[in-house]
Amino acid sequence: CATPDYNSVNQKIYNPVYIEWNLQVQQSLGSKTVLSFNYVGNHGYNEFTNSAWANSSAPVPNASCPGAPQSMLNTCTPFVGLPALRPDLRITNVSNLTNSGFSNYNGLSVSLTQRVTKGFSGTINYTYSHTSDMVSNGGTGEPYSFNDSVLGLVNPTCLSCNYGNADYDVRHNISANYVWQLPFKFSNHIAETVVGGWQVSGTFFWRTGLPFSVVDGLVPGQGNSIRNSTNAAGEFLASPNGFPISPTCGKAAVNGGASACLNNSMFLGSRAETSFSPSQRNSFRGPGYFNSDFSIMKNFQVTERFRLTMGANMYNVFNHANFANPVNDITSGQLGQITSTVVPPTSPYGAFVGSAVSGREIQVNARVTF
């Protein structure tokens, strides 16, 4: 019979605890404009972490390395950080659930709000924030991103080494919305019908890129793992090769080639590492995100009681393409290349409906009010 895997849980499991605080200051600028500053912070502890290294090992190679396997790249240096013999020979991979995780968030938002003035109202917001944790999204196996979320601890020998940028750490974020009821009134019925009753509105959204890690994809999920060791099913960060590496990958990495933001020469080869990577989790960032929606409406007063409204909603009005994080696996021939776009979280068709809503969409509508 095949040797089984095992899911282990600490003897005591606690509910995660979160401490939150905030301070907001508002200042009126005249009778219709408000400027506000809002600081928000929180600290979480007893958060769930999952380690797949509990029963892993890294056998010490023979001093003369006779017949060394190809995965060891003809080196006799032992792997530092794991025992030479796996702790329990009766089972293979062990996932150990604990409460060792913690997280922190600090953010400052600045908002300027304009109440209706000559038909115009709007709000613009800027937020600077930093979100750090040990495992994002609760550490229970649900990824924030199916492409590059790391679901478990990347270094079982150093808990603090797993602490880094959260998967959803957005440093800079700008959003705005506005509504403008054009303040044109005419006594002439024809002029009022043509020029009056127009309303335009819209939104803008921009943020910096999301973090990701560069991993060695041949390490987990194989009978042999780190340097021909066994039972190391955790994700393994690739080790830099001493090159200066830019932490940001912009949209220039689309389609790869010379514009790829990462390449294999920047990292040690797969399974060539002699210790856990010194890289910090989520130390790289992908492209930023921008989107804008626009709406235009025209009101027709049909009778004293009936009003007809016709117009159009334009989603992604500038038809702007937003790109996903690049390929982050050193065993892939596309390392550092951006191969896909991302879509808005919501659309006229609902939430998270895929690539069908990545381009500009125009929705024509009409309604009768009485």
Side-chain angles (χ1 to χ4, degrees):
C1 296
T3 308
D5 293 339
Y6 183 70
N7 291 323
S8 173
V9 180
N10 268 19
Q11 289 185 339
K12 290 184 178 181
I13 290 292
Y14 303 94
N15 286 325
V17 179
Y18 295 92
I19 304 171
E20 300 181 351
W21 57 90
N22 88 294
L23 174 66
Q24 184 172 13
V25 177
Q26 289 187 342
Q27 174 64 50
S28 295
L29 305 176
S31 61
K32 294 186 177 181
T33 306
V34 176
L35 178 65
S36 67
F37 298 85
N38 188 18
Y39 164 70
V40 178
N42 66 60
H43 171 69
Y45 62 95
N46 285 347
E47 294 179 339
F48 293 118
T49 59
N50 202 354
S51 174
W53 307 93
N55 202 37
S56 58
S57 61
V60 178
N62 184 283
S64 59
C65 290
Q70 182 63 32
S71 62
M72 297 176 70
L73 302 181
N74 299 319
T75 177
C76 296
T77 306
F79 186 87
V80 178
L82 293 176
L85 182 67
R86 74 177 190 259
D88 195 327
L89 299 177
R90 300 169 298 173
I91 50 180
T92 52
N93 298 314
V94 173
S95 293
N96 188 38
L97 185 68
T98 71
N99 281 121
S100 58
F102 56 91
S103 63
N104 290 287
Y105 171 83
N106 290 280
L108 176 64
S109 295
V110 181
S111 298
L112 183 66
T113 301
Q114 175 68 46
R115 300 189 183 97
V116 179
T117 303
K118 295 185 178 180
F120 180 86
S121 63
T123 301
I124 183 169
N125 313 284
Y126 166 74
T127 300
Y128 172 82
S129 63
H130 188 196
T131 310
S132 303
D133 57 22
M134 292 179 64
V135 178
S136 295
N137 233 36
T140 55
E142 293 294 329
Y144 176 73
S145 166
F146 286 97
N147 294 324
D148 50 37
S149 283
V150 176
L151 301 181
L153 300 181
V154 295
N155 189 336
T157 64
C158 173
L159 285 178
S160 62
C161 296
N162 297 277
Y163 184 72
N165 298 322
D167 291 358
Y168 25 78
D169 176 44
V170 175
R171 294 297 176 89
H172 303 279
N173 182 86
I174 297 175
S175 62
N177 62 79
Y178 62 91
V179 178
W180 189 22
Q181 186 81 41
L182 273 64
F184 302 127
K185 299 290 183 180
F186 298 89
S187 57
N188 182 281
H189 178 71
I190 297 177
E192 176 66 20
T193 301
V194 175
V195 182
W198 287 95
Q199 175 182 296
V200 295
S201 59
T203 62
F204 290 90
F205 182 82
W206 174 88
R207 62 160 173 79
T208 51
L210 295 173
F212 67 95
S213 304
V214 178
V215 300
D216 182 351
L218 282 185
V219 171
Q222 296 193 5
N224 294 328
S225 46
I226 297 176
R227 297 175 53 78
N228 206 38
S229 68
T230 56
N231 310 107
E235 292 195 77
F236 194 77
L237 299 187
S239 295
N241 200 21
F243 285 76
I245 303 176
S246 172
T248 302
C249 291
K251 66 179 182 180
V254 175
N255 296 326
S259 61
C261 55
L262 301 168
N263 62 70
N264 288 85
S265 65
M266 300 176 180
F267 302 90
L268 297 179
S270 180
R271 301 192 191 182
E273 299 90 351
T274 58
S275 64
F276 287 101
S277 174
S279 295
Q280 188 182 41
R281 170 178 149 266
N282 283 345
S283 56
F284 300 93
R285 288 189 180 268
Y289 181 92
F290 170 79
N291 191 38
S292 179
D293 300 331
F294 180 77
S295 176
I296 183 168
M297 297 290 178
K298 176 71 169 75
N299 294 310
F300 298 91
Q301 196 69 42
V302 181
T303 67
E304 185 177 347
R305 294 182 54 194
F306 287 85
R307 185 173 64 177
L308 172 66
T309 301
M310 301 181 66
N313 300 321
M314 284 159 271
Y315 300 87
N316 191 5
V317 62
F318 298 115
N319 201 28
H320 177 77
N322 289 292
F323 296 98
N325 284 351
V327 176
N328 66 326
D329 189 344
I330 63 172
T331 65
S332 169
Q334 296 178 308
L335 174 66
Q337 298 182 24
I338 294 176
T339 59
S340 62
T341 58
V342 295
V343 300
T346 59
S347 75
Y349 308 111
F352 306 104
V353 296
S355 60
V357 296
S358 60
R360 181 194 297 119
E361 293 178 276
I362 301 177
Q363 180 188 65
V364 179
N365 57 72
R367 67 176 181 264
V368 176
T369 306
F370 59 92

